[in-house]
C-alpha cells in the first residue's frame, strides 16, 4: 500500500536520492520519503526544483510492483491521481495535465513529477506547490509557477493531501487498461487541439496537438499535414514556457 511507511525529514538533498537508498529493502513498495526542504531538489533534465520553502510538498514514493498497463504511461497515472486529488480538495480550480509530467492551473505550473527507473523498481518524485506563495520563489520561476494557496487563498493540510493522493493513486494503479488511463488524460490534457511548439533537444517541432495515444505519445499535425509522434520533449504554447 502506498504510504504504509512514511519517513519524514527536515532537510535532505533530494527525496528521490533518499528513496533510492531504500529501494533494495524488502517491503519498500509504497514507501514514501518526504522532506520539509530539499537542498538539491531536481526535475526533468536535471533542472533545479526550488525546495527551500517548507510550505511546499516534496516527496518520493517507491513502486516495485508489476503494472497491468504499459510502464511508459506511469507519469500520466500519477498525473491523473493528482488531478483527481485536486478535484476533491479544491473543486473550484481546473487543473490540466501538461504532457508529459506537469500539472498546470491557470497556465502556471503547480506540480512537477520526476520518475526515475531502477532495475528493481521506480521512484516517483513529486513536487507540489501547496501552501507556498510564489512571490517568495526565485524571480526566474515566479511568473510561471502557481500554488494551491495562490489559486484559492486557502491553506491545506499536507497529510490530508497525501492521504487522498495515495488513495487515488492506489485505485488508478489497479486499472487494467492503458486506454482507460489515457482517456482520462485526454479529458484533462492541456493544449489539446491547439497549436503548440515542442522542443526536443535543439529541434523545435510546431503543429497542432491532435491527440495522445495509448503509449503516451503525442500526435502532432504539422503544417504540411504530416503527423508526427513525439515521445519526449518540452511543450511551449507559442508564447511563454509554462
Ligand atoms: C519537474 O518538474 O521536472 C519535476 C520536478 C520534481 C520535483 C520533486 S520534489 C520531490 C522529488 N525530489 C526531487 O529532487 N525531485 C522530485
Amino acid at each position: 500500500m502506498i504510504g504504509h511507511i512514511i519517513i519524514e525529514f527536515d532537510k535532505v538533498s533530494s527525496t528521490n536520492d533518499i528513496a533510492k537508498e531504500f529501494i533494495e529493502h524488502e517491503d519498500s513498495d509504497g514507501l514514501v520519503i518526504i522532506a520539509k526542504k530539499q537542498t538539491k531538489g531536481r526535475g526533468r533534465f536535471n533542472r533545479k526544483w526550488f525546495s527551500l520553502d517548507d510550505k511546499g510538498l516534496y516527496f518520493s514514493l517507491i513502486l516495485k510492483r508489476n503494472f497491468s498497463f504499459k510502464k511508459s504511461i506511469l507519469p500520466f497515472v500519477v498525473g491523473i491521481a493528482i488531478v483527481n486529488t485536486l478535484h476533491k480538495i479544491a473543486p473550484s480550480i481546473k487543473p490540466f495535465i501538461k504532457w508529459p509530467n506537469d500539472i498546470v492551473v491557470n497556465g502556471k505550473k503547480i506540480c512537477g513529477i520526476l520518475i526515475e527507473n531502477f532495475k528493481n523498481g521506480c521512484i516517483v518524485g513529486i513536487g507540489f506547490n501547496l501552501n507556498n506563495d510564489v512571490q517568495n520563489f526565485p524571480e526566474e520561476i515566479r511568473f510561471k509557477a502557481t500554488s494551491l494557496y495562490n489559486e484559492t487563498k486557502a491553506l491545506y493540510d499536507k497529510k490530508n493531501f497525501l492521504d487522498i493522493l495515495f488513495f487515488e493513486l492506489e485505485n488508478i494503479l489497479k486499472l487494467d487498461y492503458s486506454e482507460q488511463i489515457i482517456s482520462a488524460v485526454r479529458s484533462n490534457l492541456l493544449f489539446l487541439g491547439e497549436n503548440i511548439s515542442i522542443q526536443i533537444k535543439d529541434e523545435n517541432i510546431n503543429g497542432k496537438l491532435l491527440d495522445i495515444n495509448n503509449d503516451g505519445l503525442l500526435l502532432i499535425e504539422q503544417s504540411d499535414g504530416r503527423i508526427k509522434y513525439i515521445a519526449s520533449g518540452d511543450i511551449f504554447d507559442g508564447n511563454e514556457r509554462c
Side-chain angles (χ1 to χ4, degrees), residues 14-16 38 41-44 49 59-60 109 112-113 125-127:
S14 154
T15 54
N16 270 38
Q38 300 182 115
R42 61 174 189 276
R44 290 196 313 137
W49 182 263
F59 60 102
S60 302
K109 182 159 166 173
I113 301 161
I126 300 176

Side-chain angles (χ1 to χ4, degrees), residues 6-176:
I6 300 181
I7 307 178
E8 295 185 54
F9 293 88
D10 279 342
K11 203 196 257 184
V12 295
S13 51
S14 154
T15 54
N16 270 38
D17 292 343
I18 307 295
K20 196 174 150 197
E21 294 171 18
F22 287 87
I23 200 164
E24 304 285 341
H25 291 209
E26 230 182 287
D27 284 342
S28 62
D29 177 70
L31 184 144
V32 174
I33 303 291
I34 181 163
K36 288 194 180 128
K37 295 181 183 184
Q38 300 182 115
T39 51
K40 286 196 179 132
R42 61 174 189 276
R44 290 196 313 137
F45 308 119
N46 236 357
R47 292 182 189 128
K48 269 192 198 161
W49 182 263
F50 173 68
S51 323
L52 289 173
D53 179 349
D54 65 2
K55 298 190 168 51
L57 270 172
Y58 318 108
F59 60 102
S60 302
L61 53 102
I62 296 175
L63 293 177
K64 285 166 62 175
R65 54 190 81 182
N66 291 323
F67 305 122
S68 43
F69 49 81
K70 294 170 193 142
K71 195 146 179 228
S72 62
I73 69 167
L74 183 60
F76 307 111
V77 169
V78 179
I80 288 295
I82 289 171
V83 165
N84 288 351
T85 302
L86 287 172
H87 286 158
K88 284 191 173 162
I89 68 168
S92 63
I93 65 164
K94 175 91 184 88
F96 286 95
I97 294 178
K98 184 178 172 217
W99 182 92
N101 286 45
D102 295 343
I103 308 298
V104 165
V105 176
N106 272 330
K108 295 180 173 185
K109 182 159 166 173
I110 197 164
C111 173
I113 301 161
L114 174 70
I115 298 183
E116 295 178 316
N117 293 302
F118 300 92
K119 67 174 188 311
N120 51 355
C122 65
I123 292 173
V124 178
I126 300 176
F128 189 94
N129 300 330
L130 190 71
N131 295 321
N132 325 58
D133 183 347
V134 296
Q135 289 317 313
N136 300 324
F137 281 16
E139 207 179 327
E140 65 277 14
I141 53 170
R142 214 176 280 161
F143 71 96
K144 54 185 179 182
T146 191
S147 73
L148 205 49
Y149 166 73
N150 286 127
E151 293 299 323
T152 64
K153 298 288 167 289
L155 293 170
Y156 296 83
D157 182 60
K158 286 185 178 179
K159 187 175 176 308
N160 183 49
F161 182 98
L162 293 177
D163 284 348
I164 296 173
L165 175 62
F166 297 159
F167 173 82
E168 290 295 326
L169 196 49
E170 213 46 271
N171 279 340
I172 304 171
L173 286 171
K174 283 186 206 134
L175 290 181
D176 279 344

